[in-house]
Amino acid sequence: MKKALLALLVVLAVAGCSFAEWKPTTTVSIIVPAGAGGNTDLSARVFAQYAKELSGCDFIVVNANGAAGSIAADQVRSAAPDGHTFLYGHNLVNVANVAGITDYNYTAFKLGPTFAKDPAQQFYANPKKYKNLEEFLKAAKEKPGELVACTEVGAYTYYEILKFQDLAGIQLDLVDYGSNSDKIVGMLSGQVDMMPGAYINCKDYLESGQFVALGVPTAERYDIIKDIPTFREQGIDLVYPDCDFSFYFPKETPDEVITWYENIVKEMHSKPECVEAIRKVEMMPYYLSGADSEKHDAEYFAIFKSIAEQLAK
């Protein structure tokens, strides 16, 4: 009897079956460090939809905006390491640590796969004031410290703007405006001269002529924003980390949980309808394993830390 059972287990193993394979047993909470409607929120909802279709498991997006992403991150750090709660976002935990908002970075989590990529946030201005980057820089140099740029102090765009100021030789008035919707209201009302933003949040205003794109801090143009020139093309050597959207789990999460999420992300990326859904929110499907996501976070953390140290001199 024992020999027969052992033989059956061998057959199942060869066939790729596993009695120990992990799978969610209750609703999974995807903690998003942003409000509803932005690129982080929308891409998380794409994952939730197709993960449910492929696995039959339930996923819910929980928006926990504020404090440079630390509110959401703290929720996940204190959650049970059982695979049913994870943080979804792009490097906010690293930037918050560099800014001194938190005393932890990516190493406080166990990295899962990376799901999608968004180019580094572009800079937009009010076309009633500035037609292009040249006009914006001219005005900024004529009125140092007067042109208002909205950001979230200690967040991803904060160091992006600081680096831009340094390389462009200008000084802006950096104002903490909060959410993307608040930044857009400030732009449309004329109270703000420049805002950094993800393409999905600014696309409609760009197409209607209410925004003008000053540039994008990437090494080359991406297809999804191919009509926006890079800053390098315009004489400013600004290349800033892209937004790579990864899964951050509580530190003690078992390896088999990470493997399950890696497999389902790979399966989703093989489905044309899922790939199209990611592209519809103006993002690019992009896969990294949990181990490679951790290596990438280490590289990005070093970049943010280097920028902060250079600007502090």
Side-chain angles (χ1 to χ4, degrees):
M1 181 69 177
K2 289 183 178 179
K3 289 183 178 180
L5 178 59
L6 179 61
L8 176 61
L9 290 173
V10 171
V11 170
L12 291 173
V14 172
C17 301
S18 173
F19 289 115
E21 182 179 0
W22 181 87
K23 187 176 182 179
T25 56
T26 188
T27 300
V28 175
S29 295
I30 306 172
I31 311 300
V32 171
N39 57 345
T40 308
D41 173 74
L42 292 174
S43 57
R45 294 180 189 278
V46 170
F47 173 80
Q49 174 188 342
Y50 286 93
K52 177 177 175 60
E53 290 184 11
L54 293 174
S55 69
C57 304
D58 291 321
F59 297 80
I60 184 172
V61 173
V62 180
N63 298 97
N65 196 17
S70 62
I71 292 175
D74 286 339
Q75 286 187 28
V76 174
R77 289 180 70 220
S78 62
D82 58 8
H84 295 102
T85 305
F86 67 87
L87 176 72
Y88 176 76
H90 63 90
N91 269 289
L92 292 179
V93 294
N94 292 323
V95 182
N97 176 255
V98 170
I101 294 172
T102 66
D103 59 0
Y104 58 84
N105 62 6
Y106 72 96
T107 59
F109 301 86
K110 187 160 188 175
L111 269 290
T114 297
F115 176 65
K117 177 190 282 288
D118 203 22
Q121 292 200 9
Q122 309 90 58
F123 289 174
Y124 296 91
N126 189 324
K128 293 180 180 179
K129 298 181 179 180
Y130 321 102
K131 302 299 182 187
N132 49 44
L133 177 63
E134 182 180 358
E135 287 190 11
F136 180 84
L137 293 178
K138 182 176 182 293
K141 290 176 180 178
E142 290 175 349
K143 301 177 181 179
E146 294 186 28
L147 271 63
V148 175
C150 53
T151 182
E152 184 178 354
V153 176
Y156 170 88
T157 59
Y158 180 64
Y159 288 102
E160 183 181 25
I161 295 178
L162 289 179
K163 188 65 175 177
F164 171 69
Q165 286 186 144
D166 181 56
L167 293 174
I170 60 174
Q171 183 66 45
L172 303 171
D173 179 13
L174 271 59
V175 177
D176 195 327
Y177 249 79
S179 69
N180 278 318
S181 59
D182 292 329
K183 293 173 186 174
I184 289 172
V185 169
M187 282 277 289
L188 295 176
S189 68
Q191 297 176 354
V192 172
D193 294 282
M194 186 194 82
M195 69 166 280
Y199 184 62
I200 189 169
N201 297 327
C202 302
K203 177 183 177 181
D204 290 344
Y205 301 101
L206 186 63
E207 292 177 350
S208 67
Q210 293 171 286
F211 284 7
V212 61
L214 299 180
V216 55
T218 54
E220 56 188 23
R221 297 194 191 194
Y222 285 112
D223 284 344
I224 63 173
I225 50 171
K226 61 184 178 182
D227 294 329
I228 299 178
T230 68
F231 283 113
R232 271 188 171 178
E233 292 174 46
Q234 302 176 85
I236 298 177
D237 192 21
L238 175 61
V239 176
Y240 198 66
D242 290 329
C243 299
D244 294 347
F245 290 84
S246 306
F247 300 173
Y248 299 76
F249 291 86
K251 187 67 174 178
E252 302 304 318
T253 300
D255 289 342
E256 55 263 35
V257 172
I258 305 301
T259 298
W260 188 86
Y261 281 95
E262 289 173 336
N263 288 338
I264 201 163
V265 168
K266 285 189 285 189
E267 186 175 0
M268 290 168 70
H269 283 178
S270 72
K271 303 292 184 182
E273 61 273 23
C274 179
V275 170
E276 181 61 23
I278 296 172
R279 289 176 176 160
K280 279 186 177 179
V281 297
E282 308 299 345
M283 294 174 70
M284 298 172 282
Y286 183 64
Y287 174 78
L288 291 176
S289 67
D292 287 340
S293 294
E294 184 174 357
K295 291 177 184 176
H296 217 199
D297 261 41
E299 294 170 1
Y300 276 6
F301 177 69
I303 291 173
F304 293 129
K305 189 174 181 180
S306 174
I307 291 173
E309 290 172 349
Q310 289 173 10
L311 297 176
K313 294 178 181 178

